[in-house]
Amino acid sequence: MELVIAVVFGAIALLTVITLIRAVRIVPQQRMDVVERLGRYKKTLGPGLNLLVPFVDAVRTKVDMREQVVSFPPQPVITSDNLVVSIDTVLYFKVVDPVRATYEISNFLQAIEQLTVTTLRNVIGSLDLERALTSREEINRHLSGVLDETTGRWGIKVTRVEIKAIEPPPSIRDSMEKQMRAERDRRAAILNAEGHKQSQILSAEGEKQAAVLRADGDRQARVLQAEGQAKAIRTVFDAIHQANPSQKVLAYQYLQALPQIANGQANKVWIVPAELTKALEGLGGALGGLGAMVGDAPSKEVDSGAVEREAAAAAEAAAAEAQRVNDEVRAAEAQVGGGGQQAGLAGQPGLPAAPPMTATDFLKSSTPDREQG
């Protein structure tokens, strides 16, 4: 009997504990429990300690009120240019009404996934591949608007939809990479051409400025050189007129000028007879006699009449000597070429016979102009 009583008291205690467990509910923060009484919705339990009627009230669902993130698997989508692309999406949502989320739809997460796929196919189907790759913001806004409007009656708020990746087919990726590589090569070629153009322009400007500066330097150098030469000529001219050189000096300068005359490009033929040395000795003696008559020392006061008479006498002597030299040269030409050749040479143009030189001509060619000095 005592055993039966103990068993009954134990059963009562166990039932009491079970009743208390089923009557008391502790709901954590950011969670809502939907309670049904005898199969009908009764109330929603908020966070904290809640009491239920044992064996009458029952918790139907436990709804998480926090914002949730769901990543959907890649979905194949066909674009308007008949290319199949694989798109990954990420969905951010939160439950705002646990009662609707429980009774309006059986599985709201699966419903959101299917709605996202169908909406995405509609949006991508109206775009080509290039626009689909560059219009992610537009696709995200369109998806967010459609999902928010549809899931609103389910007690769910879609906060954000993001396209994680758009993967075109491998062949299209290769073509796109080649196109991008060609575009980069084109830009690089354009930049290189622009750089070469700027380099050529700068080089041309530098050469132009260098040529201008070089020409300016040459001009200034020539101006300075010409000024120096002018000063040198003026100094020599003044020194000659102040020194009043003698006829020996003039004769010596004339003999020094003869090799320069012989080096001229216009002189093609020169005939040197054997008697030319004696002729030059006679011409030197005449000039020496003229110098002896005038004197070697420079004089500041000169009798112009006496100088002219002496110069005329010396000129007549020099002219006679020059005529003798001319006759000897003609005789040498006759001996070298023979009688027939002499006649031929005399008749050729360009080799005329030397006219006899008078004293007046020799005086004009050898006597300096005293009046100009």
Side-chain angles (χ1 to χ4, degrees), residues 256-368:
Q256 285 185 339
L258 287 178
Q260 297 180 0
I261 297 174
N263 290 330
Q265 297 181 359
N267 298 324
K268 301 299 182 181
V269 179
W270 284 81
I271 300 174
V272 182
E275 293 80 3
L276 181 59
T277 305
K278 296 181 179 180
L280 291 177
E281 290 178 356
L283 181 60
L287 294 176
L290 180 61
M293 290 186 291
V294 176
D296 295 336
S299 175
K300 295 183 179 179
E301 295 181 358
V302 180
D303 188 0
S304 60
V307 170
E308 290 180 357
R309 289 191 298 273
E310 293 175 358
E316 290 179 357
E321 188 66 25
Q323 183 63 32
R324 187 178 65 80
V325 170
N326 190 13
D327 295 339
E328 292 179 356
V329 169
R330 292 174 59 84
E333 290 177 355
Q335 292 177 2
V336 173
Q341 293 181 356
Q342 183 178 3
L345 291 174
Q348 288 183 359
L351 295 173
M357 181 181 292
T358 61
T360 304
D361 296 334
F362 183 80
L363 182 61
K364 289 182 181 180
S365 61
S366 60
T367 305

Side-chain angles (χ1 to χ4, degrees), residues 51-369:
L51 297 177
L52 299 177
V53 177
F55 306 104
V56 177
D57 296 339
V59 176
R60 170 69 182 273
T61 56
K62 299 176 181 180
V63 182
D64 192 353
M65 303 300 294
R66 293 174 297 179
E67 187 173 0
Q68 302 180 37
V69 181
V70 180
S71 179
F72 299 134
Q75 299 293 328
V77 181
I78 300 177
T79 61
S80 61
D81 49 354
N82 297 325
L83 293 175
V84 179
V85 295
S86 180
I87 300 179
D88 298 343
T89 55
V90 179
L91 181 65
Y92 298 83
F93 71 95
K94 64 185 296 185
V95 178
V96 295
D97 190 348
V99 177
R100 289 185 178 182
T102 302
Y103 294 103
E104 292 293 335
I105 190 168
S106 60
N107 191 345
F108 63 85
L109 188 59
Q110 184 179 3
I112 291 175
E113 180 182 357
Q114 296 299 323
L115 182 61
T116 302
V117 172
T118 55
T119 306
L120 191 62
R121 287 178 178 176
N122 292 332
V123 174
I124 299 298
S126 61
L127 303 175
D128 56 3
L129 179 60
E130 185 176 358
R131 188 177 176 187
L133 293 174
T134 58
S135 303
R136 294 193 178 189
E137 294 295 333
E138 182 181 354
I139 296 172
N140 294 337
R141 287 195 300 269
H142 190 78
L143 285 175
S144 298
V146 173
L147 292 175
D148 189 38
E149 181 182 359
T150 304
T151 59
R153 62 177 182 270
W154 299 341
I156 298 172
K157 174 68 175 177
V158 177
T159 58
R160 190 177 182 87
V161 180
E162 290 290 341
I163 296 178
K164 186 167 59 176
I166 300 178
E167 296 292 338
S171 60
I172 301 300
R173 286 200 301 269
D174 294 340
S175 299
M176 293 173 63
E177 290 178 359
K178 292 179 181 179
Q179 181 179 1
M180 293 173 62
R181 191 179 300 109
E183 181 67 21
R184 290 191 181 95
D185 293 340
R186 183 182 67 85
R187 293 179 181 176
I190 291 174
L191 292 177
N192 290 331
E194 289 291 337
H196 185 68
K197 175 183 176 182
Q198 294 295 330
S199 175
Q200 293 293 330
I201 291 174
L202 293 177
S203 299
E205 290 180 355
E207 292 177 358
K208 175 183 176 182
Q209 294 178 2
V212 171
L213 294 176
R214 194 179 300 110
D216 191 11
D218 293 340
R219 181 182 63 83
Q220 293 180 3
R222 291 180 180 179
V223 169
L224 294 176
Q225 185 177 3
E227 291 178 355
Q229 292 178 356
K231 290 182 180 179
I233 292 172
R234 190 179 301 111
T235 303
V236 173
F237 183 79
D238 294 339
I240 290 173
H241 284 76
Q242 291 177 3
N244 191 11
S246 63
Q247 295 299 325
K248 288 185 178 181
V249 176
L250 296 178
Y252 179 71
Q253 293 294 331
Y254 176 75
L255 292 176
Q256 285 185 339
L258 287 178
Q260 297 180 0
I261 297 174
N263 290 330
Q265 297 181 359
N267 298 324
K268 301 299 182 181
V269 179
W270 284 81
I271 300 174
V272 182
E275 293 80 3
L276 181 59
T277 305
K278 296 181 179 180
L280 291 177
E281 290 178 356
L283 181 60
L287 294 176
L290 180 61
M293 290 186 291
V294 176
D296 295 336
S299 175
K300 295 183 179 179
E301 295 181 358
V302 180
D303 188 0
S304 60
V307 170
E308 290 180 357
R309 289 191 298 273
E310 293 175 358
E316 290 179 357
E321 188 66 25
Q323 183 63 32
R324 187 178 65 80
V325 170
N326 190 13
D327 295 339
E328 292 179 356
V329 169
R330 292 174 59 84
E333 290 177 355
Q335 292 177 2
V336 173
Q341 293 181 356
Q342 183 178 3
L345 291 174
Q348 288 183 359
L351 295 173
M357 181 181 292
T358 61
T360 304
D361 296 334
F362 183 80
L363 182 61
K364 289 182 181 180
S365 61
S366 60
T367 305
D369 191 358

